[in-house]
Amino acid sequence: MPWKKRIGELPLHLMILPGLILIVLYSYGPMFGFIIAFQKFIPARGFFDSKWAGLDNFRYLLEMPESRRIVVNTVSIALMKIAAGLIAPIVTALLLNEVRKEAFKRGIQTVIYLPHFLSWIILGGILIDILSPTSGIVNQALGWVGIDAIYFLGDNDWFRYTLVATDTWKEFGFSTIVYLAALTGIDPTLYEAAVVDGAGRWKQTLHVTLPGMSAIIILLMTLSLGNVLNAGFDQVFNLYSPQVYESGDIIDTFVYRIGLVDAQYGVATAVGVFKSVVSLVFISTSYYLAYRLANYRIF
């Protein structure tokens, strides 16, 4: 009977309740603060007594000379991270898939996965030390082969690439495990048929392995497109300095400085609203393209 079935499912719904409460408190509740973007917000007066500013905060934002540079920095860093974050784990998963010694394979997986668990506060200190132009081990190694020291974290020509390389090093191990899991779902008889047709390992990779991984590749690529305006606040904040604002200042670090340091809460919230709207457009478009081009639906 339907009512008995619903009563039997009640414990399952109660299990969802704590997560639902957290979502309401920390995801939907703060949305009321979007009103700050349209006010001359003064914390002492609160939401209801602060003066209404309309679109003035957005106009001020667009007129700021550094606005265009910050958006370009954010998009370029995010796109490079997305590309590297897709290519590196796919290549690593394909290489590990060819390893036949399970102990060695699992050891490599563990080593490349470990950085994922370290925060950028810890990694920031480590990277500042090893990339130091005077005492860092990387520049010492470059000196041994006759290359001048490079100021990776203080040179605008190098800072973006340093961000991308270190972020990829930290996170590609996690994605590699996801792709290795996808490889286990490929039908072994497809490889047997490919061998009968005379396909070598390279041909098998092109015509069996990669098509078999296509669903998870499209899924992760689709989800990553929603982060085009999210270039990684934790990483950038712990590694950047005023010397590299020109190439490394992103939307999130700009919001931090203008909102929490300069106390321009209305403008900072306007930037956040702009970022949220653009991200929504990107993720909606990516879902549509995934369905149209690959007939893949997440929901």
Side-chain angles (χ1 to χ4, degrees):
M1 297 177 64
W3 64 271
K4 287 186 177 180
K5 183 178 180 182
R6 292 175 183 175
I7 293 176
E9 293 177 349
L10 182 60
L12 299 177
H13 292 286
L14 292 177
M15 290 174 64
I16 299 174
L17 186 60
L20 184 62
I21 293 174
L22 290 176
I23 290 176
V24 172
L25 288 177
Y26 293 105
S27 295
Y28 289 96
M31 287 185 180
F32 182 73
F34 279 5
I35 194 175
I36 298 175
F38 305 95
Q39 293 180 325
K40 285 189 175 182
F41 181 72
I42 299 176
R45 295 183 178 179
F47 296 117
F48 301 104
D49 292 331
S50 295
K51 292 183 179 179
W52 186 258
L55 298 177
D56 289 349
N57 290 325
F58 292 91
R59 294 192 188 97
Y60 177 76
L61 171 65
L62 294 175
E63 292 172 356
M64 295 181 69
E66 62 265 45
S67 295
R68 185 174 181 273
R69 171 177 56 80
I70 291 170
V71 173
V72 170
N73 288 344
T74 304
V75 173
S76 61
I77 292 172
L79 288 177
M80 286 191 290
K81 284 184 176 181
I82 290 173
L86 286 172
I87 295 172
I90 291 174
V91 173
T92 305
L94 293 175
L95 292 175
L96 286 176
N97 190 50
E98 300 298 320
V99 177
R100 293 294 171 256
K101 293 186 177 181
E102 284 297 321
F104 178 75
K105 182 177 179 178
R106 293 182 183 279
I108 294 296
Q109 286 180 252
T110 302
V111 170
I112 65 176
Y113 190 43
L114 283 176
H116 174 75
F117 294 100
L118 299 177
S119 71
W120 276 113
I121 296 176
I122 296 173
L123 288 179
I126 295 173
L127 290 170
I128 289 172
D129 286 337
I130 67 175
L131 297 178
S132 170
T134 55
S135 59
I137 188 173
V138 173
N139 276 302
Q140 288 182 9
L142 293 176
W144 295 338
V145 295
I147 300 177
D148 294 335
I150 300 173
Y151 199 176
F152 292 99
L153 300 179
D155 188 336
N156 283 299
D157 293 333
W158 285 95
F159 187 68
R160 287 184 187 175
Y161 303 108
T162 303
L163 291 176
V164 175
T166 53
D167 180 76
T168 303
W169 165 71
K170 181 179 185 295
E171 300 295 344
F172 85 101
F174 176 80
S175 298
T176 297
I177 293 177
V178 175
Y179 290 120
L180 285 172
L183 288 173
T184 62
I186 299 176
D187 189 351
T189 59
L190 295 175
Y191 291 104
E192 296 172 3
V195 171
V196 171
D197 290 338
R201 299 302 300 176
W202 176 244
K203 290 290 186 180
Q204 292 176 39
T205 299
L206 287 179
H207 300 290
V208 178
T209 306
L210 287 176
M213 297 170 62
S214 60
I216 192 65
I217 292 174
I218 292 173
L219 172 61
L220 294 181
M221 181 175 64
T222 299
L223 294 177
S224 65
L225 288 178
N227 292 322
V228 169
L229 291 185
N230 184 16
F233 171 79
D234 291 346
Q235 180 195 20
V236 178
F237 183 74
N238 283 285
L239 294 179
Y240 84 150
S241 64
Q243 299 176 91
V244 290
Y245 279 177
E246 180 182 342
S247 62
D249 198 16
I250 61 174
I251 292 176
D252 291 334
T253 54
F254 176 71
V255 169
Y256 167 79
R257 291 200 314 277
I258 200 171
L260 296 181
V261 178
D262 297 339
Q264 298 186 55
Y265 302 107
V267 179
T269 307
V271 177
V273 171
F274 166 76
K275 177 185 173 183
S276 299
V277 171
V278 174
S279 296
L280 175 64
V281 172
F282 271 115
I283 195 65
S284 300
T285 303
S286 64
Y287 284 149
Y288 174 77
L289 292 176
Y291 172 67
R292 296 292 297 178
L293 299 178
N295 196 31
Y296 185 86
R297 300 186 69 172
I298 297 174
F299 304 109

